[in-house]
Structure formats: structure tokens, C-alpha cells
Amino acid sequence: VTIDGNKSVTANFVQQTRTLTMASNLVEGGTTIPASGVHVYPYGQVVTIIANPANGYQFENWTGEVVDSNNDTTTVTMNGDKTVTANFQLIPPMITVTAPNGGENWAVGSTHNITWISVNTSGTVKLEYSADNGTGWIEIIAETAGDGSYEWTIPDNPSITCLVKISDTGGSLADQSNTVFTISKALF
């Protein structure tokens, strides 16, 4: 620019942007915030990203340039185009008896809840009990909802070596009480 009089100069600036491509290794495994796809951010912006696992799945880690690859909530600095993938994995099927799980004393004729935790099972379970530390099993119910609780009226079969077993009706998955509990004679 030659200055030979009054001049007006205008500078035009364009903000630099970068793209963040979000993805999931398993579409059914969960969602991300921002959602899967391409997003545009100003250069240098720090973007918070979140992985939300679906029911029956767990967050494993992030792949790509993130601050903490093992935390489901982390950040990405947009100093270049980035691709980040949330990695989810199916939680292995499991059933865990939570009650009676050992040491309880349940009286004949009383009512107690058999409780358990189940993940990725068929949705129905079989309940059995043993009065001889697992040598033989007596059916409580052949099939009931696998919702984690069943109201059981304690049978007239007193023993100090009782166990409860819960089995997935759709496979071989099962668990039983960790230690024995007692079925005692009712006190009237």
C-alpha cells in the first residue's frame, strides 16, 4: 500500500475451524455427546465429550486424541481435525444371588424375598433350594421373571445347611448362595 494521501484499509478475518468426527465401535452399545457424526468447532476450542452406554453394555475407552481415554467424560482440543471413537462392550451375562446369601435364619411359614442381580440373561429364571448343602435341589418355581426378586413362603423343611440356586432358563448360567442359611421351625 502506498501512502500518498488518506487511505482506508479494511482487514477481513475468517475464524479457522476444525472438524470433530464422533463415532461408536458398536452402534447398539451406546451413544455419545456430541452425537455420532461430523461437528465443526472453532480452532483451539476445548470440547467436552461423553459416552453413554446402553443397557447391558459398558464403556471401555476412547480411541483418538482425548485427554483421558479411560474416562467416559473427557475433552478434545480442536487444534486439528479429530476423529474420536467411543468403545463399548457387552457386559458378560451373569446372575448373582444376593439373598439368602448365607447366615440368614428364616422360619418355616414366614415370607422372605429371594433376591439377585442379573445382566444380559434370557429374562426368566428358575429358583431352587437345597436343605443338604447342595447335594439335592428342590424346585421353588420352574420359571419366573428375572426381575431380581421373588417372594418365597418358607417351606416346612428345617435345616441348617440350606442354599438357594437361581438359573437362567435360557442357558447354563446359574449362581447359588455363597454359604448356607437356616430354615428353622416356626415359633408359635
Side-chain angles (χ1 to χ4, degrees):
V1 175
T2 303
I3 305 293
D4 56 5
N6 290 338
K7 302 280 183 182
S8 181
V9 178
T10 302
N12 294 311
F13 298 95
V14 176
Q15 184 176 32
Q16 292 183 358
T17 58
R18 296 294 181 254
T19 60
L20 172 60
T21 304
M22 295 290 294
S24 296
N25 69 322
L26 299 171
V27 174
E28 70 280 8
T31 59
T32 61
I33 298 173
S36 291
V38 177
H39 306 272
V40 178
Y41 294 97
Y43 180 88
Q45 182 170 340
V46 176
V47 179
T48 298
I49 60 174
I50 303 169
N52 294 311
N55 280 344
Y57 289 83
Q58 61 190 12
F59 171 74
E60 186 174 32
N61 63 14
W62 295 100
T63 52
E65 241 181 275
V66 299
V67 170
D68 184 352
S69 64
N70 295 314
N71 194 329
D72 61 357
T73 300
T74 188
T75 58
V76 177
T77 301
M78 298 306 300
N79 54 6
D81 293 336
K82 305 284 176 89
T83 298
V84 177
T85 301
N87 297 302
F88 299 103
Q89 65 182 4
L90 185 65
I91 298 172
M94 67 127 199
I95 294 176
T96 303
V97 174
T98 55
N101 208 27
E104 296 87 351
N105 186 348
W106 290 356
V108 170
S110 64
T111 303
H112 293 274
N113 287 328
I114 296 172
T115 60
W116 65 93
I117 299 167
S118 60
V119 177
N120 290 335
T121 60
S122 69
T124 58
V125 295
K126 176 181 180 178
L127 303 178
E128 301 169 276
Y129 81 99
S130 171
D132 57 9
N133 201 25
T135 300
W137 293 95
I138 302 164
E139 186 175 277
I140 297 170
I141 189 165
E143 186 172 344
T144 188
D147 59 5
S149 185
Y150 179 82
E151 189 174 284
W152 184 35
T153 300
I154 308 307
D156 189 3
N157 192 5
S159 170
I160 61 169
T161 58
C162 298
L163 298 168
V164 162
K165 180 166 64 173
I166 302 172
S167 306
D168 183 8
T169 59
S172 61
L173 191 61
D175 189 41
Q176 69 184 39
S177 306
N178 286 345
T179 59
V180 296
F181 68 98
T182 300
I183 292 178
S184 58
K185 290 215 177 270
L187 301 174
F188 295 102

